[in-house]
Amino acid sequence: MNSRIDTVDDVRLYNRQAWNKLVRKNNRWTVPVSPETTDRAREDDWQIILTPEKPVPRDWFPDFRTDHVHVLCLAGSGGQQAPILAAAGADVTVLDNSPAQLAQDQFVADRDGLSLRLIEGDMADLAMLQNETFDLIVHPCSNCFAPNVLPVWREAARVLKPGGSLLSGFVQSHVFLFDDDLMDEGQFELCHQIPYSDLGSLPDDRRRALIESNEPVCFGHTMADQIGGQIDAGLAITGFYEDGWSDWPICKYISAFAATKATKLE
């Protein structure tokens, strides 16, 4: 693998390969839900996450049992959220950059008799989707793999119906201030600026090691882009919560993740 990644398209292609590899390694975000989980969803006993641990409030969702709800799982494949929502009664489309992750959703759909529309694509370019198509977009923590989050919000707003909502999870920007290796050991050394990029912020040897191991490259966006970007795209923030992750030492002191409900203005 070349140790240089020079363009946004190179990042997208590189991260596609990296996530395909994570599927083969059974990364926790690539493991499909069980048949029992989809069975319960059919009985309206279900929950999903946008961040590592805290379930999304059920009142953030429309009633899939009474309304014909069109849902887009945006950069959210892996056989987790989409099958649950489909089993609960939603009409679900999944768009993701990783063919292997999409295959996890197809596996659950085939196993459990679910209907999912699967699209391989870039979260920042939804040109294949028409304006005002979806009632709900579910976008779990994935924009940390996009160099620029603003096109993600603009495209999401475009394909949402007026009054529809975008549910998003993201890594909070303060996480990227610290040296990642030291943070894993519970030491917090300020060493990066925000916005952050693995490609531009890491020392050369660390960046080469990351790329040679084919780990996904990450980006830390400002809160102005994460929250303000949604507002500028024509969405109103109508829900918010924070979350931690017991695997991350920083969460002993401050929440590392946030989730928003943003509603398209009518």
Side-chain angles (χ1 to χ4, degrees), residues 41-61:
R42 287 188 168 100
E43 300 299 322
D44 199 38
D45 177 13
W46 61 271
Q47 62 183 28
I48 65 168
I49 57 173
L50 296 168
T51 53
E53 295 179 348
K54 186 173 182 178
V56 183
R58 279 292 296 269
D59 62 8
W60 282 20
F61 298 92

Side-chain angles (χ1 to χ4, degrees), residues 9-263:
D9 195 51
D10 287 343
V11 170
R12 183 176 61 85
L13 294 174
Y14 170 87
N15 275 346
R16 177 189 298 167
Q17 295 173 342
W19 274 99
N20 288 344
K21 181 178 178 180
L22 288 177
V23 172
R24 295 193 295 271
K25 294 171 65 176
N26 291 316
N27 174 276
R28 66 177 292 179
W29 306 119
T30 73
V31 178
V33 296
S34 68
E36 292 76 17
T37 298
T38 54
D39 284 344
R40 289 195 299 271
R42 287 188 168 100
E43 300 299 322
D44 199 38
D45 177 13
W46 61 271
Q47 62 183 28
I48 65 168
I49 57 173
L50 296 168
T51 53
E53 295 179 348
K54 186 173 182 178
V56 183
R58 279 292 296 269
D59 62 8
W60 282 20
F61 298 92
D63 189 344
F64 300 137
R65 296 169 299 172
T66 60
D67 303 321
H68 189 61
V69 181
H70 293 272
V71 177
L72 172 64
C73 288
L74 180 60
S77 62
Q80 299 183 356
Q81 291 92 354
I84 291 174
L85 297 172
D91 182 336
V92 181
T93 298
V94 188
L95 183 140
D96 200 273
N97 190 38
S98 164
Q101 279 281 77
L102 288 166
Q104 301 297 74
D105 282 303
Q106 188 63 61
F107 166 78
V108 180
D110 292 342
R111 183 194 68 195
D112 297 344
L114 301 170
S115 178
L116 296 174
R117 179 189 181 198
L118 305 178
I119 302 173
E120 182 185 330
D122 180 2
M123 71 180 94
D125 180 7
L126 307 182
M128 75 293 293
L129 300 175
Q130 295 182 353
N131 294 353
E132 300 183 357
T133 301
F134 296 98
D135 303 286
L136 182 71
I137 298 177
V138 174
H139 179 50
C141 282
S142 54
N143 70 42
C144 57
F145 305 111
N148 183 359
V149 73
L150 297 180
V152 179
W153 302 141
R154 290 194 294 265
E155 283 289 87
R158 179 182 65 79
V159 303
L160 266 180
K161 296 176 183 178
S165 292
L166 165 66
L167 312 185
S168 304
F170 55 87
V171 185
Q172 299 208 61
S173 53
H174 55 258
V175 173
F176 296 95
L177 293 170
F178 303 101
D179 179 279
D180 195 49
D181 288 347
L182 291 176
M183 191 165 54
D184 285 343
E185 300 172 3
Q187 302 177 45
F188 304 101
E189 179 181 312
L190 286 168
C191 59
H192 300 307
Q193 295 180 329
I194 309 299
Y196 167 87
S197 163
D198 279 342
L199 301 176
S201 304
L202 289 176
D204 289 347
D205 59 336
R206 295 267 297 276
R207 184 178 64 254
R208 282 194 297 269
L210 181 146
I211 294 172
E212 288 169 2
S213 65
N214 204 201
E215 290 294 315
V217 295
C218 292
F219 303 86
H221 306 295
T222 65
M223 293 301 289
D225 283 355
Q226 293 282 25
I227 301 293
Q230 295 186 61
I231 295 169
D232 290 343
L235 306 173
I237 305 299
T238 53
F240 181 88
Y241 64 84
E242 294 183 301
D243 193 14
W245 192 1
S246 53
D247 291 353
W248 282 11
I250 192 173
C251 294
K252 291 170 54 179
Y253 306 99
I254 189 170
S255 297
F257 298 85
T260 54
K261 178 182 182 182
T263 302

